[in-house]
Every structure is written in C-alpha cells, then in structure tokens.
Amino acid sequence: MAEKYKLTKKDRMSVAWRHQFLQGSWNYERMQNGGWAYSLIPALRKLYPEKKDLSLALKRRLEFFNTHPYLASPIIGVTLALEEEKANGAQVENTAIQGVKVGMMGPLAGVGDPVFWFTLRPILGALGASLALSGNIVGPLLFFFAWNIIRIAFIWYTQEFGYKVGTSIAQDLSGG
C-alpha cells in the first residue's frame, strides 16, 4: 500500500463541528442518517480519495441511525477509527462497522435524555431564570454560554474518546 491515511485533529474537529447539525435532515424512515452522513463527510473524503470508494463509504453511512444527538459523538469517534483502519487496508467488514454503530446507539440513547434534558438543562435554566427574575441580564447569558460550552466540550471529548477506543476495536475486528 502506497499511502497510509491518518485523520488529523483538524479532520476530527471538522467532523465534530458538522455533528452540530446531526438532526438537520431528520426523517421518519432512517431518522438521523442524513446528519450522520453529513457529519462524517470531511473524514471520509480524506480516507477515500477515489470517488467510487467515497461513494461506498457514504452509502454505508445512510443506513438507519438514531440516538441522543449529543451521545452520537462517541459513536462517531469509533466509526472514524474503524473507517480509518478500513481505508488503510485492515480487514474490517462493513457489517462490523454497522454492528458496532447499532450496538452503541441504543444504550447511549437512553442515557442522554436523563443527563442532558432532565438534569443539566433544568439546573442551568433554573439558575439563569432566577438571575433573570431579579432583572439581571447575566441569567440568560449564563444559561446560554454554560449550556453550549458543556455541550460542545462533551461532543468533542467523547468523540475523541470513541476515536481512541475505536482503534483497539478495529484491531480486534481485523485480528491485528
């Protein structure tokens, strides 16, 4: 093999940024698959410079996908690692990539709502509202900035965790 493909931090940051739009094309048949594929495009373009290979990789991403929008990030990280190994010639089957994705999305979906929607957001909202009720503009600003800093940091660091763990999963799947 002439070239070894390696995703840089910049590539992974581009994927994390696009992940913000995961639910931008939500549909009833395959749920978040369009946003899922959109998120991975920068990495897939680097890993598969041949149009045919890129097309097949994108097609793999258009299968059913649905989980909590923030908890998709560790799944994205693992998927990036698996695709990187596959692009570099490891014997990682498409069904293995899909199986890891499906196996992670169900359990993680059940964790996101209680943590983010039913705990963190109400606590930050109550804090911001209490300050706003006393006429303090810091209340809504605190809510907005705290929520987005936590959300974006969570997405980035869990994607990176998934990427690091995904490398060992890929080695296990390829027998390496």
Side-chain angles (χ1 to χ4, degrees):
M1 176 171 309
E3 188 174 355
K4 178 107 172 138
Y5 299 105
K6 180 74 176 152
L7 295 173
T8 64
K9 184 176 181 180
K10 182 181 176 191
D11 297 327
R12 297 188 313 270
M13 283 183 137
S14 181
V15 170
W17 171 249
R18 282 175 167 244
H19 173 230
Q20 309 300 310
F21 308 103
L22 179 71
Q23 299 199 105
S25 65
W26 197 94
N27 65 80
Y28 284 106
E29 182 182 355
R30 295 185 182 184
M31 309 258 169
Q32 299 166 326
N33 73 326
W36 174 257
Y38 174 78
S39 298
L40 292 166
I41 287 173
L44 295 177
R45 276 195 178 135
K46 182 169 187 177
L47 295 174
Y48 302 105
E50 297 292 324
K51 189 173 181 176
K52 180 183 177 237
D53 296 334
L54 176 61
S55 177
L56 290 171
L58 280 170
K59 190 173 181 183
R60 283 195 300 275
R61 299 299 130 247
L62 290 174
E63 296 295 322
F64 177 85
F65 185 79
N66 190 37
T67 194
H68 187 278
Y70 306 159
L71 286 161
S73 54
I75 305 169
I76 287 174
V78 170
T79 301
L80 290 174
L82 292 172
E83 288 287 356
E84 185 177 79
E85 293 292 321
K86 184 175 181 63
N88 284 313
Q91 294 301 309
V92 179
E93 297 295 323
N94 296 341
T95 54
I97 297 172
Q98 182 71 1
V100 169
K101 181 182 88 170
V102 169
M104 291 177 72
M105 72 182 177
L108 290 177
V111 173
D113 286 347
V115 171
F116 285 99
W117 301 149
F118 306 143
T119 304
L120 186 58
R121 194 168 179 126
I123 289 170
L124 291 173
L127 180 60
S130 67
L131 289 169
L133 284 172
S134 64
N136 193 338
I137 187 68
V138 172
L141 294 174
L142 175 75
F143 171 77
F144 177 80
F145 286 109
W147 174 256
N148 283 298
I149 288 168
I150 292 167
R151 180 181 65 80
I152 292 169
F154 181 84
I155 286 170
W156 170 249
Y157 288 110
T158 58
Q159 177 182 297
E160 286 297 285
F161 174 76
Y163 179 72
K164 286 175 180 57
V165 170
T167 302
S168 62
I169 291 171
Q171 289 171 351
D172 291 345
L173 289 173
S174 66

